[in-house]
Amino acid sequence: MPETVQIFTGKDLNRLGVQALPDLIKYTTNAQNLDFYGGAMPTWVIHGVSLADFNPNSTPAAPVFLNDAYQPSTVMGTGSLFDIARVEVLKGPRSGLYGRNTIGGAVRVLTNKPNFGRASGSIGVSYGRWGDGHVNAAYDAPITRNMAFCIAETSDQGWSGWQTSLQNGGVQFSAVGDLGDLGGLELTSITSLDYFDYGLNYNDAATGPVYATQVEHTPMRMAQENLRLGSGKPKRLDWLLGLDVAYEDLEENKQFQLFDDALETLYTGLSGAANEGILSYTQKTQSYSGYGQLTYHILPKLLLDFGARSTWEYKTYHGAFQQSPGYYMASNVTRQYQLKDHVTGKAVLRYQFDPLNMVYASVARGYKSGGFYGGFPIASTAQIDPYREEQVWAVEAGFKAQTKDRKLIVDGAAFYYRTYNYQNFTTEYSAVSKTITSTLTNLGTAVNQGLEGNIVWKPVPTLTLNLGAAYNDAKIVKSSQYQLDYAGNLVAWQGQPRLPRKRPSARKPMTRSRPSSYSIWS
């Protein structure tokens, strides 16, 4: 791969002791994890690009792909890593194969392929302090000579602590198969059906007495079909055409209670016992896209990679909101969003000294979908008005070098991103609730620029040394908007860092789980 990418095999994950996908960030150069709710909603920040949102209906800037199936919510990136063949962390905007909402990068998780020779299975159970229980199970078996299936289930549950039931579980069915040779061409189908049941029981104080609580329940259903037609055996011009159709349905039920406490009153302006907000809405998404990518050998060692995608996307929001004591109620709130700026692309020029060593330069255009604020609209229903998609132009140059025995691997890159219609939260005073409220909107233009490098050295087969370093500067360079700080002062967004600094959490969560995986390979 000519782009910046870090690859972790299943053996790497076991050696590093990585059990959950968010834990992999500590071994990934120039990546961070915005850890909302202490782990319930890990948000990947790659090259400083992400959206600091804590609602499950927002599309991620660096999404997870499980067996090449797009995971549309950040909450789906909390999973335990079990029965995994490899994880690829791809940096920078994606087009072609990974084109949906990927302006920062993509995290590609591939499970183990089933055994085509004979049936096999495994199971593991453990229990520890804080009521921490783990169950891992997998089974695979051949169906025909060219088809086999695999079922993998992992569940990590905690029954004490300040958070419980972060994920109630889910099921994913995926079928990946080669549909045949069409006159030397290759036709591939990837079919995915997902059900993910997200839940949150959150104590804002992290300990007793309870000052504020938030309870969420958000079932999600997704269906996706991806067809790919490729040129087959390597030629001077290799190409691939694809069609992607997806449907997503999310139901959010959220309740917040603020109890009488002097500190909370000082911070929010609310007082009295049991200030309560109830929010219930559905969000549905339809997405259709066509894409293509090609590799052209200009000279034997000089290659051009090009990918492009055109997407049609439509979202609807329908919900109701109630806040007490006596602020307002709203029902049958309906909003619509349609993607307008829908074309993405990427071109990479690379000089391949040999299969292991290269230099490259790339330019890319990506987008992140717009949508609706998924939190409490405590000022007015105008907070639900759709925000636009953000667009990014990205330039990158770098190199990759390896020894023939692959005992030493060195790579480095420099990048510059310019993002328009940057999405983030702004604050304003609400005369309805008499508090400072947050609204998700488009702020202006942001810039990310930086350098990164990695060295991997394997002096002996049982020892691997990794060294990574990065510099990143991300800020808002153009904005006409202002926000209120919590002292009531107007502060200009222009010149502010692109993302807020990470807040420390009181204690790590006691629950993590990954949806079950059901796969058919042929």
Side-chain angles (χ1 to χ4, degrees):
M1 296 180 184
E3 304 93 343
T4 306
V5 58
Q6 287 184 246
I7 299 175
F8 303 88
T9 65
K11 292 181 179 180
D12 293 333
L13 300 176
N14 292 332
R15 186 176 64 251
L16 296 172
V18 175
Q19 297 181 346
L21 193 57
D23 298 333
L24 196 61
I25 293 177
K26 67 179 72 174
Y27 302 103
T28 305
T29 304
N30 214 349
Q32 294 175 296
N33 176 19
L34 290 179
D35 199 0
F36 293 112
Y37 299 123
M41 197 171 293
T43 301
W44 281 78
V45 182
I46 300 178
H47 286 177
V49 178
S50 186
L51 172 62
D53 191 8
F54 47 84
N55 295 294
N57 71 319
S58 178
T59 53
V64 174
F65 289 81
L66 181 57
N67 288 330
D68 286 342
Y70 171 72
Q71 310 292 283
S73 175
T74 55
V75 302
M76 303 177 76
T78 59
S80 300
L81 291 174
F82 170 68
D83 195 44
I84 300 300
R86 61 192 276 155
V87 178
E88 301 173 359
V89 181
L90 302 102
K91 303 174 183 179
R94 301 290 107 191
S95 290
L97 296 179
Y98 312 106
R100 288 194 61 195
N101 311 319
T102 54
I103 61 172
V107 182
R108 188 182 181 214
V109 181
L110 300 174
T111 58
N112 288 317
K113 292 184 179 181
N115 191 332
F116 283 81
R118 59 182 177 82
S120 62
S122 64
I123 187 170
V125 180
S126 65
Y127 183 82
R129 63 180 306 201
W130 302 104
D132 194 16
H134 304 265
V135 178
N136 295 326
Y139 181 77
D140 62 336
I143 300 175
T144 66
R145 179 184 302 177
N146 299 317
M147 182 177 292
F149 76 91
C150 178
I151 298 175
E153 168 70 24
T154 181
S155 179
D156 298 348
Q157 296 292 330
W159 291 276
S160 63
W162 65 288
Q163 297 185 49
T164 60
S165 301
L166 297 185
Q167 291 82 38
N168 296 326
V171 174
Q172 183 196 56
F173 168 84
S174 61
V176 183
D178 186 350
L179 299 183
D181 189 328
L182 305 177
L185 305 180
E186 294 181 351
L187 181 62
T188 302
S189 170
I190 301 174
T191 303
S192 177
L193 300 173
D194 276 347
Y195 173 77
F196 192 86
D197 193 12
Y198 170 73
L200 172 69
N201 189 342
Y202 181 78
N203 174 5
D204 186 61
T207 184
V210 176
Y211 298 134
T213 63
Q214 181 169 319
V215 179
E216 292 185 47
H217 180 219
T218 312
M220 308 177 195
R221 292 170 289 271
M222 292 78 66
Q224 181 178 355
E225 172 61 34
N226 191 309
L227 285 174
R228 301 174 181 175
L229 181 65
S231 57
K233 296 180 180 180
K235 307 177 182 65
R236 185 173 184 180
L237 176 63
D238 300 321
W239 55 268
L240 182 146
L241 297 174
L243 176 66
D244 186 273
V245 179
Y247 175 81
E248 301 157 12
D249 187 347
L250 175 149
E251 297 179 17
E252 171 83 310
N253 298 282
K254 186 181 299 186
Q255 182 178 15
F256 179 80
Q257 285 188 325
L258 178 64
F259 299 93
D260 190 17
D261 174 67
L263 291 178
E264 293 289 344
T265 300
L266 178 65
Y267 181 72
T268 65
L270 294 173
S271 62
N275 289 279
E276 184 178 68
I278 300 174
L279 176 66
S280 177
Y281 68 88
T282 60
Q283 178 176 297
K284 298 183 179 182
T285 303
Q286 302 175 57
S287 175
Y288 308 91
S289 62
Y291 62 89
Q293 63 181 46
L294 60 85
T295 298
Y296 178 63
H297 294 254
I298 303 173
L299 297 172
K301 295 185 178 181
L302 183 64
L303 295 86
L304 173 66
D305 301 291
F306 177 77
R309 175 183 291 257
S310 180
T311 304
W312 182 90
E313 187 174 292
Y314 182 72
K315 295 182 181 181
T316 60
Y317 176 105
H318 183 79
F321 173 75
Q322 175 181 340
Q323 184 171 336
S324 62
Y327 287 139
Y328 75 96
M329 298 173 58
S331 60
N332 295 320
V333 179
T334 301
R335 297 290 188 271
Q336 298 177 346
Y337 162 81
Q338 184 169 338
L339 180 70
K340 295 180 179 179
D341 198 346
H342 54 84
V343 178
T344 61
K346 186 166 190 175
V348 184
L349 186 65
R350 54 187 166 112
Y351 189 85
Q352 201 87 38
F353 297 97
D354 56 53
L356 302 178
N357 299 277
M358 75 168 88
V359 293
Y360 68 91
S362 69
V363 59
R365 186 181 192 278
Y367 76 89
K368 179 188 177 300
S369 289
F372 318 100
Y373 174 50
F376 293 95
I378 62 176
S380 72
T381 56
Q383 289 181 272
I384 308 298
D385 291 347
Y387 53 91
R388 285 192 58 190
E389 63 273 9
E390 64 179 39
Q391 309 92 26
V392 62
W393 280 97
V395 179
E396 181 180 323
F399 71 93
K400 296 182 179 182
Q402 303 180 46
T403 58
K404 290 184 178 180
D405 56 9
R406 296 180 184 253
K407 290 184 177 180
L408 180 63
I409 303 173
V410 182
D411 63 71
F415 58 89
Y416 176 87
Y417 299 169
R418 192 171 186 90
T419 303
Y420 300 92
N421 294 320
Y422 169 56
Q423 300 168 0
N424 210 325
F425 286 90
T426 190
T427 56
E428 59 184 358
Y429 179 78
S430 168
V432 175
S433 63
K434 297 180 175 58
T435 63
I436 295 176
T437 62
S438 297
T439 302
L440 188 53
T441 186
N442 301 102
L443 294 180
T445 303
V447 166
N448 296 60
Q449 52 191 342
L451 305 166
E452 69 175 67
N454 296 281
I455 299 175
V456 180
W457 181 36
K458 300 179 180 179
V460 295
T462 56
L463 177 64
T464 301
L465 301 176
N466 296 270
L467 176 64
Y471 166 80
N472 190 35
D473 179 31
K475 61 184 178 182
I476 299 172
V477 297
K478 184 179 180 181
S479 178
S480 60
Q481 296 199 38
Y482 289 78
Q483 63 169 329
L484 284 173
D485 63 19
Y486 284 100
N489 302 312
L490 275 176
V491 179
W493 266 110
Q494 186 165 314
Q496 296 295 318
R498 175 165 179 158
L499 285 173
R501 291 180 174 86
K502 202 166 63 169
R503 293 184 304 169
S505 57
R507 190 179 297 171
K508 290 187 177 180
M510 296 309 300
T511 304
R512 278 177 178 156
S513 66
R514 186 176 73 100
S516 308
S517 176
Y518 301 86
S519 303
I520 295 180
W521 299 79
S522 63

